[in-house]
Protein backbone atom coordinates (compact mmCIF):
# COMPACT_ATOMS: atom_id res chain seq x y z
CA UNK A 1 0.00 0.00 0.00
CA UNK A 2 2.78 2.39 0.94
CA UNK A 3 4.72 1.84 -2.28
CA UNK A 4 1.60 2.27 -4.38
CA UNK A 5 0.65 5.49 -2.58
CA UNK A 6 4.18 6.84 -2.95
CA UNK A 7 4.28 5.99 -6.67
CA UNK A 8 0.90 7.64 -7.25
CA UNK A 9 1.89 10.79 -5.37
CA UNK A 10 5.14 11.15 -7.29
CA UNK A 11 3.52 10.32 -10.64
CA UNK A 12 1.00 13.14 -10.19
CA UNK A 13 3.82 15.67 -10.54
CA UNK A 14 4.83 14.20 -13.89
CA UNK A 15 1.28 13.89 -15.17
CA UNK A 16 0.60 17.59 -14.69
CA UNK A 17 4.09 18.78 -15.76
CA UNK A 18 3.57 20.77 -18.96
CA UNK A 19 7.22 20.46 -19.97
CA UNK A 20 7.15 16.65 -20.22
CA UNK A 21 6.29 15.04 -23.56
CA UNK A 22 2.73 13.83 -23.96
CA UNK A 23 3.72 10.14 -24.26
CA UNK A 24 5.53 10.32 -20.90
CA UNK A 25 2.56 11.97 -19.22
CA UNK A 26 0.19 9.44 -20.76
CA UNK A 27 2.42 6.59 -19.58
CA UNK A 28 2.31 8.00 -16.08
CA UNK A 29 -1.50 8.12 -16.28
CA UNK A 30 -1.57 4.45 -17.24
CA UNK A 31 0.83 3.54 -14.44
CA UNK A 32 -1.26 5.44 -11.87
CA UNK A 33 -4.34 3.53 -13.01
CA UNK A 34 -2.54 0.20 -12.73
CA UNK A 35 -0.85 0.98 -9.42
CA UNK A 36 -4.00 2.48 -7.94
CA UNK A 37 -5.77 -0.85 -8.28
CA UNK A 38 -3.22 -2.48 -6.00
CA UNK A 39 -4.36 -0.54 -2.93
CA UNK A 40 -7.96 -1.83 -2.75
CA UNK A 41 -6.82 -5.35 -3.61
CA UNK A 42 -4.31 -5.41 -0.77
CA UNK A 43 -6.86 -3.94 1.64
CA UNK A 44 -9.41 -6.63 0.76
CA UNK A 45 -6.81 -9.39 1.04
CA UNK A 46 -5.59 -8.29 4.48
CA UNK A 47 -9.00 -7.39 5.94
CA UNK A 48 -9.78 -10.87 7.31
CA UNK A 49 -6.61 -10.83 9.41
CA UNK A 50 -7.82 -7.68 11.21
CA UNK A 51 -11.35 -8.94 11.90
CA UNK A 52 -11.93 -9.72 15.59
CA UNK A 53 -13.88 -12.85 14.61
CA UNK A 54 -14.70 -14.54 11.30
CA UNK A 55 -18.24 -13.19 11.65
CA UNK A 56 -16.89 -9.63 11.34
CA UNK A 57 -15.14 -10.15 7.98
CA UNK A 58 -18.27 -9.20 6.01
CA UNK A 59 -18.75 -6.05 8.06
CA UNK A 60 -15.16 -5.00 7.51
CA UNK A 61 -15.54 -5.68 3.78
CA UNK A 62 -18.64 -3.48 3.72
CA UNK A 63 -16.79 -0.68 5.49
CA UNK A 64 -13.98 -0.94 2.95
CA UNK A 65 -16.43 -0.70 0.05
CA UNK A 66 -18.08 2.33 1.67
CA UNK A 67 -14.70 4.05 2.10
CA UNK A 68 -13.69 3.34 -1.49
CA UNK A 69 -17.03 4.59 -2.76
CA UNK A 70 -16.81 7.81 -0.77
CA UNK A 71 -13.37 8.45 -2.24
CA UNK A 72 -14.54 7.79 -5.78
CA UNK A 73 -17.57 10.01 -5.26
CA UNK A 74 -15.92 12.92 -3.45
CA UNK A 75 -12.44 12.95 -5.00
CA UNK A 76 -13.14 14.14 -8.56
CA UNK A 77 -15.56 16.95 -7.61
CA UNK A 78 -13.16 18.11 -4.91
CA UNK A 79 -10.33 18.24 -7.43
CA UNK A 80 -12.57 20.04 -9.92
CA UNK A 81 -13.49 22.60 -7.25
CA UNK A 82 -9.83 23.20 -6.38
CA UNK A 83 -8.85 23.54 -10.05
CA UNK A 84 -11.70 25.98 -10.60
CA UNK A 85 -10.71 28.04 -7.56
CA UNK A 86 -7.03 28.07 -8.55
CA UNK A 87 -7.82 28.79 -12.18
CA UNK A 88 -5.43 26.12 -13.45
CA UNK A 89 -4.47 22.49 -13.14
CA UNK A 90 -1.30 23.46 -11.26
CA UNK A 91 -3.08 22.68 -7.96
CA UNK A 92 -3.84 19.07 -8.96
CA UNK A 93 -0.49 17.47 -8.04
CA UNK A 94 -0.66 19.08 -4.60
CA UNK A 95 -4.12 17.60 -3.98
CA UNK A 96 -3.17 14.17 -5.28
CA UNK A 97 0.09 14.18 -3.33
CA UNK A 98 -1.76 15.16 -0.15
CA UNK A 99 -4.13 12.22 -0.61
CA UNK A 100 -1.18 9.94 -1.31
CA UNK A 101 0.52 11.19 1.88
CA UNK A 102 -2.62 10.39 3.88
CA UNK A 103 -2.69 6.92 2.32
CA UNK A 104 0.99 6.49 3.14
CA UNK A 105 0.38 7.46 6.76
CA UNK A 106 -2.54 5.05 7.00
CA UNK A 107 -0.40 2.29 5.48
CA UNK A 108 2.20 2.79 8.21
CA UNK A 109 -0.53 2.83 10.86
CA UNK A 110 -1.85 -0.43 9.44
CA UNK A 111 1.65 -1.91 9.56
CA UNK A 112 1.93 -0.88 13.21
CA UNK A 113 -1.40 -2.59 13.97
CA UNK A 114 -0.20 -5.66 12.11
CA UNK A 115 2.91 -5.87 14.28
CA UNK A 116 0.83 -5.61 17.44
CA UNK A 117 -1.20 -8.70 16.46
Amino acid sequence: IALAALAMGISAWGIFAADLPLFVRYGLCLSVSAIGGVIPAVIFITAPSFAPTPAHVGTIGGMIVQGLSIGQLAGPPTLAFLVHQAGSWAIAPYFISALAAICLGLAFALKTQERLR
Side-chain angles (χ1 to χ4, degrees):
I1 294 173
L3 290 175
L6 187 62
M8 289 175 67
I10 292 170
S11 294
W13 291 94
I15 290 169
F16 294 101
D19 56 334
L20 285 178
L22 179 61
F23 73 92
V24 173
R25 293 167 58 190
Y26 185 70
L28 288 170
C29 289
L30 294 176
S31 70
V32 163
S33 295
I35 293 168
V38 170
I39 296 173
V42 171
I43 291 171
F44 275 115
I45 289 169
T46 58
S49 65
F50 288 96
T53 67
H56 290 95
V57 173
T59 304
I60 289 176
M63 292 171 62
I64 292 168
V65 170
Q66 289 296 318
L68 294 171
S69 297
I70 289 169
Q72 289 176 339
L73 178 68
T78 302
L79 179 58
F81 173 78
L82 293 172
V83 168
H84 175 73
Q85 292 299 315
S88 77
W89 283 94
I91 194 77
Y94 291 99
F95 176 68
I96 295 169
S97 294
L99 293 177
I102 291 168
C103 185
L104 191 62
L106 291 172
F108 286 122
L110 190 63
K111 186 67 173 172
T112 301
Q113 286 297 317
E114 190 177 45
R115 286 186 185 145
L116 294 175
R117 293 187 168 261

